[in-house]
Amino acid sequence: DVNESKLDLDIDWSNVFKHAHPVSKTNPFWNELSASNPFIHDIAASNRNENNKYLSILKEKPYLFSKVSSNRDSLASSGDEIDIDCLLRNTLARRSGRSKSVSDFLDIVDNQRFNPHKTTPQKTIASDVTWLQFDREAYKMAWLNHRQLTRSCLDLEAMSHSPGWAQTQATDVHVVCKLNHEGGSVQLPDSDINIHVPVGHVLPGEFQAVGLKAILNPPSSFNNELSSTVSPLIELTLSNLNTREAIFLEVKVAAKVKNDPLSQVMSDIVCFFSLNKEGPFKKLENCYTYQDTVQVKLMDLSHVMYAVIAIQANKIQPPATNVWDYVHRMVSVGIYGPKYIHPSFTTVFTVFGHNYIPGKLTVCDIKKRGKSMPPVVFQLWGKHTFLLEKPQDLNISLVSCDPDFEVKMEDQNKNIKEEELKTGETVRQQFLFSMLGCRELHFFVFRVQIKVLKSSQVTQFHVTTPDPAPKLSGIINRPKRLQNRKAIKSAPLLLIPTVKYPKFQDKTLSVSTYGVALKTVLRQNKIDYLLEYFKGDTIALLGEDKVKAIGQTKIKEWYVGVLRRKIGLVHCKNIKVISKEQAMDTADSELTTRNLVEQIALPFKKLTYIYSVVLSTVSESVYDWRALAEVLGYSHMSLDDFNEAHADKESERVAHVVKRMKEDCHANKKKRLFLYELIVALLKIDCQGLVARLTQDTIILTSAVKLGKYWREVAEKLARLTKQQIEAYEVPHQGKNGVVALEMMWKPAYDFLYTWGAHYGDSYRDVLQDLQSALDKMKNPVTKHWRELTGTLILVNCMEVLRASAFSKTEEE
């Protein structure tokens, strides 16, 4: 599974599959066998001559499986999950529409949405798997080991008419990376699990292929009164044991030991190690812990190794009752569901005993009409972490925020027992959603609430479902038609014309966490978006999320804070975090919601944008022109102000309002800035999803313009593009002399950043943070002088506190 597991098989496939076996010619489906199935090609080939149109993709494209896409959120359901554009280009002439599955077509749609450019350079990582050339069975088993026959998460009725080959799915994520004498780091995708290989680990000229995989359920023997696992079971594979240096495993775990002396003495974070999955495990001595990060030196190396991190207590001293009482323990939950929603679908609420939340989850106990279904691969829809002081019974409830959908009555409340949490294994609860009435199917939002039954603790978060499956008519006939990029949803998330936008309330922000400054920070050279403060100042913290950004000289972690009516970043190490009850004088850190909106939108005064793109995005995503007109100061407008062309469609009316505002800003350039005023207005009608999309689009465009020729350095950092791949981006923009003019260099930069950003799907915060980190790490960081990206990180981190304070639910009702 190239796209998901990064498993790279860089092999001359023509040799691997050259053996043909005589077969019976009675099978009527012989000539329709999928050309993408590597295990039946040699059988099928014996039934055809070499000039036949049904040639194996593997023969024509021997390195097809070695292409690694950086698409993190490619929610592919087809069995092949390779570069679908490449597959289409090379096989469309040969394969009829009938021989493609529903799954193939839906992946084509997704790929066209996320990859608007015709060619996307691919990154190839070579792995030391040449032995597979000589052992076809070994390759077959390697391929099948991390795949499983599962139902695709498409519309099951549509799937019943498609070939079954598309129903194999990747069932776990693992990464294989080949390193040389220089060493390097390997990270399991979407996790805090890393392997660091030092320089000189292998001899010059030799290579080490490092494999990483996380097994969700750790060994049960480590979960009892005295011990509790805080990481998944990590499987580490090495190809070369002729080594000179040890390697390091680094894991961010789901707990840290409390600061009180008893906890520090009685408990410890330890790593257990084994050469077998079932054990026996031994405790490693070379283990270093800093807060919730554990680094372990691995010296006794083998081809396959297993490690798991656990909190262990020497003994339980009352009032403690088990090892949980000595630690601050984070519980991670994930909401999983099908790739596309249907009129009736199941979501799975999953509690993990660690902080690794995979992007896909195989569920084996789904029931439909009382019958057990084959395993289903579900996609991650949303995740949340919260502090749980000790294992307790939990009550889980899911409530639809959309009147068109409901949770099945008997599924509305589920309980998770204390004993289940103690086992450290993943605990799942299923919730069945169904649509009411015969409205058109659309995405919606539902609320997840977690109550700790023995205390008053309640945690809740919201999850947005994916879209319904796109209609297949037209796609089958016109597979190359360009699809629009998938939109980030905009609150209030109802695709009906009768949307009622909430009323913005100008009132003091409700803040629950504060920080006391431990030192005075005053800067001779003022830096935008960074706070200045005196020792002892009480700073209001807008959320607990941290921002990574460059300071005066190096990259640090920051909180978003408010002091003396100014919003900015404060270095995490310079403050002591306290609760609202502990804060003495908060007068200096008060702020109104109006002031918050106006400040967090400030970066848009300096960002580059394409007016036509902004206009079309806003007109498609805002469903009430009156609500927008009112916050923009055009409350006097009426339907009489629209001509006949704008009278019918709501989107045309919204566009008319935006154009009117653009003209007014243009007439008063010195005092009014179009994009800034538009973003402020959208925040005031709670269109946070739309603001997020505009933020990502404008940041990517502005970053491309700022970078110019230095985009190559960033491309290498973000996606490890080779020189040839970078040239592939530049070729379409070359002039007659064969080079890209300096003033045109923003175009390949934009093409790359846009494609890279689209791979994140709706994870706009990750796009902004990863881009910030990459720009900060440049030899001469553009972020030293250009701080607007930092400003937009402040914006997206303030959205939750804005929504909580400015839009009262009681007011709406």
Side-chain angles (χ1 to χ4, degrees):
D1 177 4
V2 176
N3 210 14
E4 185 69 17
S5 67
K6 310 288 191 293
L7 178 64
D8 166 34
L9 305 172
D10 197 3
I11 297 173
D12 182 0
W13 291 102
S14 57
N15 292 329
V16 178
F17 299 113
K18 67 185 176 186
H19 308 293
H21 304 285
V23 291
S24 164
K25 297 188 180 183
T26 57
N27 186 340
F29 303 108
W30 223 233
N31 289 329
E32 297 301 320
L33 287 170
S34 170
S36 63
N37 187 336
F39 305 128
I40 57 175
H41 167 69
D42 53 350
I43 303 171
S46 67
N47 217 34
R48 314 169 187 144
N49 61 47
E50 279 303 311
N51 299 321
N52 197 300
K53 60 182 178 178
Y54 291 94
L55 282 174
S56 165
I57 296 174
L58 291 172
K59 276 199 169 181
E60 186 177 327
K61 282 276 183 184
Y63 295 100
L64 195 58
F65 272 156
S66 69
K67 290 189 177 180
V68 175
S69 166
S70 58
N71 185 346
R72 294 189 186 183
D73 287 314
S74 164
L75 305 180
S77 290
S78 81
D80 302 316
E81 296 187 61
I82 52 181
D83 180 354
I84 201 78
D85 278 343
C86 179
L87 185 149
L88 258 181
R89 284 195 298 276
N90 291 299
T91 61
L92 205 58
R94 299 192 300 279
R95 288 178 67 186
S96 68
R98 186 174 295 179
S99 69
K100 288 194 201 71
S101 68
V102 175
S103 178
D104 284 331
F105 286 119
L106 292 179
D107 280 347
I108 291 163
V109 175
D110 272 358
N111 208 56
Q112 288 173 336
R113 281 176 176 177
F114 283 116
N115 296 282
H117 307 290
K118 287 182 182 175
T119 56
T120 305
Q122 300 283 339
K123 167 73 178 164
T124 301
I125 303 172
S127 290
D128 188 14
V129 286
T130 49
W131 55 275
L132 288 176
Q133 288 181 342
F134 310 109
D135 190 344
R136 187 169 177 276
E137 279 303 308
Y139 164 63
K140 183 175 175 180
M141 290 314 298
W143 192 88
L144 286 173
N145 266 345
H146 75 287
R147 301 188 73 85
Q148 186 173 313
L149 189 68
T150 55
R151 289 306 292 261
S152 215
C153 288
L154 306 169
D155 187 312
L156 297 174
E157 300 306 316
M159 277 300 296
S160 65
H161 302 297
S162 72
W165 169 244
Q167 294 176 12
T168 60
Q169 300 269 326
T171 54
D172 55 47
V173 177
H174 72 270
V175 61
V176 178
C177 195
K178 185 175 177 180
L179 303 171
N180 61 13
H181 170 72
E182 296 294 322
S185 293
V186 181
Q187 182 180 25
L188 187 70
D190 302 319
S191 80
D192 292 310
I193 301 170
N194 298 273
I195 290 290
H196 302 296
V197 179
V199 176
H201 168 70
V202 291
L203 293 167
E206 290 194 11
F207 295 91
Q208 177 70 282
V210 180
L212 257 183
K213 176 179 170 184
I215 298 161
L216 294 182
N217 290 333
S220 56
S221 57
F222 292 118
N223 285 286
N224 49 55
E225 298 302 313
L226 290 168
S227 175
S228 179
T229 52
V230 287
S231 81
L233 180 61
I234 298 159
E235 182 183 276
L236 168 63
T237 57
L238 300 176
S239 64
N240 185 355
L241 296 185
N242 182 25
T243 58
R244 297 293 184 90
E245 295 281 342
I247 61 176
F248 295 87
L249 169 67
E250 186 178 280
V251 184
K252 196 169 182 180
V253 295
K256 54 184 174 186
V257 178
K258 291 179 179 175
N259 283 329
D260 62 275
L262 183 65
S263 299
Q264 292 284 327
V265 170
M266 301 301 287
S267 63
D268 199 9
I269 299 179
V270 293
C271 177
F272 291 96
F273 179 82
S274 175
L275 301 181
N276 295 303
K277 190 175 177 182
E278 292 76 25
F281 285 81
K282 66 174 183 180
K283 186 158 74 172
L284 293 182
E285 299 302 325
N286 301 311
C287 191
Y288 171 74
T289 305
Y290 175 72
Q291 292 185 345
D292 59 351
T293 302
V294 180
Q295 193 174 77
V296 187
K297 188 175 184 179
L298 302 177
M299 301 174 76
D300 299 328
L301 301 179
S302 175
H303 281 301
V304 182
M305 296 162 283
Y306 295 90
V308 64
I309 314 291
I311 300 274
Q312 214 174 32
N314 304 322
K315 63 176 185 176
I316 304 299
Q317 186 170 314
T321 55
N322 63 44
V323 69
W324 282 54
D325 291 318
Y326 295 135
V327 293
H328 290 297
R329 181 70 187 263
M330 299 304 293
V331 172
S332 301
V333 297
I335 299 291
Y336 291 84
K339 181 178 179 180
Y340 300 104
I341 60 167
H342 318 300
S344 175
F345 62 87
T346 299
T347 60
V348 181
F349 175 95
T350 309
V351 181
F352 297 94
H354 41 74
N355 56 5
Y356 173 55
I357 305 177
K360 292 186 180 182
L361 190 72
T362 305
V363 183
C364 301
D365 54 349
I366 296 289
K367 291 190 182 295
K368 191 176 183 186
R369 301 187 188 99
K371 294 181 181 178
S372 292
M373 299 272 290
V376 182
V377 171
F378 279 85
Q379 319 289 335
L380 179 64
W381 284 4
K383 58 186 177 182
H384 190 75
T385 55
F386 64 96
L387 186 71
L388 189 63
E389 287 297 341
K390 58 183 177 181
Q392 297 177 66
D393 293 350
L394 303 178
N395 173 260
I396 316 300
S397 61
L398 266 62
V399 180
S400 171
C401 301
D402 188 315
D404 293 348
F405 294 85
E406 70 170 6
V407 184
K408 196 176 173 184
M409 185 66 74
E410 57 266 35
D411 285 352
Q412 284 177 359
N413 277 285
K414 301 266 180 128
N415 291 328
I416 291 174
K417 298 289 183 189
E418 176 184 325
E419 287 70 29
E420 292 179 285
L421 294 179
K422 284 182 180 177
T423 64
E425 295 188 2
T426 54
V427 184
R428 297 176 185 146
Q429 291 288 0
Q430 295 177 20
F431 294 83
L432 183 67
F433 279 85
S434 55
M435 193 177 181
L436 301 172
C438 301
R439 285 185 176 279
E440 188 176 345
L441 193 60
H442 56 80
F443 67 83
F444 65 97
V445 174
F446 59 89
R447 184 174 72 247
V448 182
Q449 191 173 71
I450 306 163
K451 289 182 185 173
V452 182
L453 293 180
K454 292 178 187 173
S455 76
S456 58
Q457 184 183 352
V458 177
T459 300
Q460 66 177 26
F461 60 102
H462 290 80
V463 176
T464 303
T465 71
D467 289 316
K471 292 187 171 54
L472 293 175
S473 58
I475 299 168
I476 294 173
N477 300 330
R478 298 187 295 279
K480 286 189 177 179
R481 187 182 61 173
L482 189 66
Q483 301 288 326
N484 290 331
R485 176 184 162 194
K486 189 176 179 183
I488 296 171
K489 288 90 180 176
S490 182
L493 302 156
L494 294 174
L495 286 177
I496 48 176
T498 55
V499 167
K500 184 173 184 257
Y501 284 94
K503 190 81 176 168
F504 180 80
Q505 295 160 47
D506 185 15
K507 59 183 186 181
T508 305
L509 280 185
S510 174
V511 179
S512 58
T513 314
Y514 291 83
V516 176
L518 302 175
K519 59 191 273 192
T520 297
V521 175
L522 297 171
R523 297 179 180 84
Q524 194 171 354
N525 299 320
K526 306 298 179 192
I527 301 176
D528 288 345
Y529 307 110
L530 300 191
L531 281 181
E532 293 186 318
Y533 41 88
F534 296 99
K535 185 176 180 179
D537 276 343
T538 301
I539 303 167
L541 303 182
L542 305 184
E544 294 177 11
D545 289 341
K546 294 174 184 175
V547 172
K548 281 184 185 172
I550 198 166
Q552 196 85 41
T553 55
K554 61 182 181 178
I555 298 166
K556 302 172 182 175
E557 286 195 329
W558 313 78
Y559 288 117
V560 178
V562 178
L563 185 64
R564 289 181 272 279
R565 290 190 294 283
K566 187 176 188 317
I567 300 171
L569 298 181
V570 52
H571 186 197
C572 294
K573 289 185 179 177
N574 288 351
I575 58 166
K576 182 187 178 185
V577 179
I578 59 172
S579 66
K580 186 176 184 177
E581 292 73 28
Q582 294 170 296
M584 300 287 286
D585 181 12
T586 60
D588 275 353
S589 53
E590 286 183 356
L591 194 76
T592 64
T593 50
R594 183 180 63 82
N595 200 323
L596 174 70
V597 167
E598 289 169 355
Q599 278 202 60
I600 60 180
L602 283 175
F604 289 90
K605 287 189 173 183
K606 297 180 181 177
L607 290 180
T608 306
Y609 63 94
I610 300 170
Y611 172 64
S612 59
V613 173
V614 172
L615 180 66
S616 62
T617 305
V618 173
S619 58
E620 286 165 13
S621 307
V622 174
Y623 308 117
D624 182 0
W625 71 268
R626 290 180 192 277
L628 183 63
E630 191 173 328
V631 288
L632 284 172
Y634 300 120
S635 50
H636 57 276
M637 281 182 76
S638 68
L639 286 172
D640 298 334
D641 294 316
F642 298 101
N643 57 33
E644 286 181 19
H646 297 143
D648 295 337
K649 274 183 151 184
E650 193 72 17
S651 60
E652 292 290 344
R653 294 172 187 164
V654 172
H656 181 76
V657 173
V658 175
K659 285 174 186 171
R660 168 84 178 268
M661 199 262 286
K662 170 72 173 171
E663 288 164 8
D664 291 350
C665 289
H666 194 69
N668 191 0
K669 281 182 182 177
K670 288 183 180 177
K671 288 187 179 178
R672 300 187 64 183
L673 290 158
F674 164 72
L675 190 59
Y676 171 76
E677 292 196 16
L678 180 63
I679 294 294
V680 168
L682 293 174
L683 287 170
K684 284 185 176 180
I685 56 173
D686 199 27
C687 285
Q688 293 195 355
L690 176 55
V691 170
R693 180 176 171 186
L694 291 171
T695 303
Q696 182 173 327
D697 288 352
T698 51
I699 276 293
I700 281 175
L701 178 63
T702 313
S703 300
V705 173
K706 290 283 175 189
L707 283 168
K709 66 180 180 181
Y710 297 106
W711 82 271
R712 299 163 184 163
E713 183 188 345
V714 174
E716 201 279 326
K717 278 187 168 58
L718 282 174
R720 297 184 179 178
L721 291 196
T722 62
K723 191 177 178 183
Q724 290 79 10
Q725 290 166 331
I726 287 171
E727 284 172 2
Y729 273 108
E730 294 187 352
V731 164
H733 307 290
Q734 287 175 356
K736 290 179 182 177
N737 57 355
V739 295
V740 182
L742 208 56
E743 63 274 15
M744 290 292 108
M745 196 58 88
W746 70 271
K747 291 186 175 181
Y750 178 75
D751 288 350
F752 163 72
L753 288 174
Y754 185 91
T755 308
W756 166 79
H759 288 157
Y760 282 73
D762 292 351
S763 305
Y764 60 91
R765 285 194 185 196
D766 293 340
V767 174
L768 299 176
Q769 181 60 79
D770 289 356
L771 182 58
Q772 172 86 51
S773 299
L775 297 184
D776 283 345
K777 288 173 185 172
M778 291 174 67
K779 287 173 187 169
N780 293 303
V782 296
T783 43
K784 280 262 188 177
H785 316 288
W786 175 65
R787 296 274 173 173
E788 273 54 61
L789 178 49
T790 312
T792 57
L793 277 170
I794 293 174
L795 161 72
V796 297
N797 276 283
C798 289
M799 281 184 171
E800 286 174 21
V801 71
L802 172 64
R803 179 171 279 170
S805 298
F807 304 101
S808 164
K809 289 177 184 174
T810 52
E811 192 80 15
E812 285 178 48
E813 289 161 7

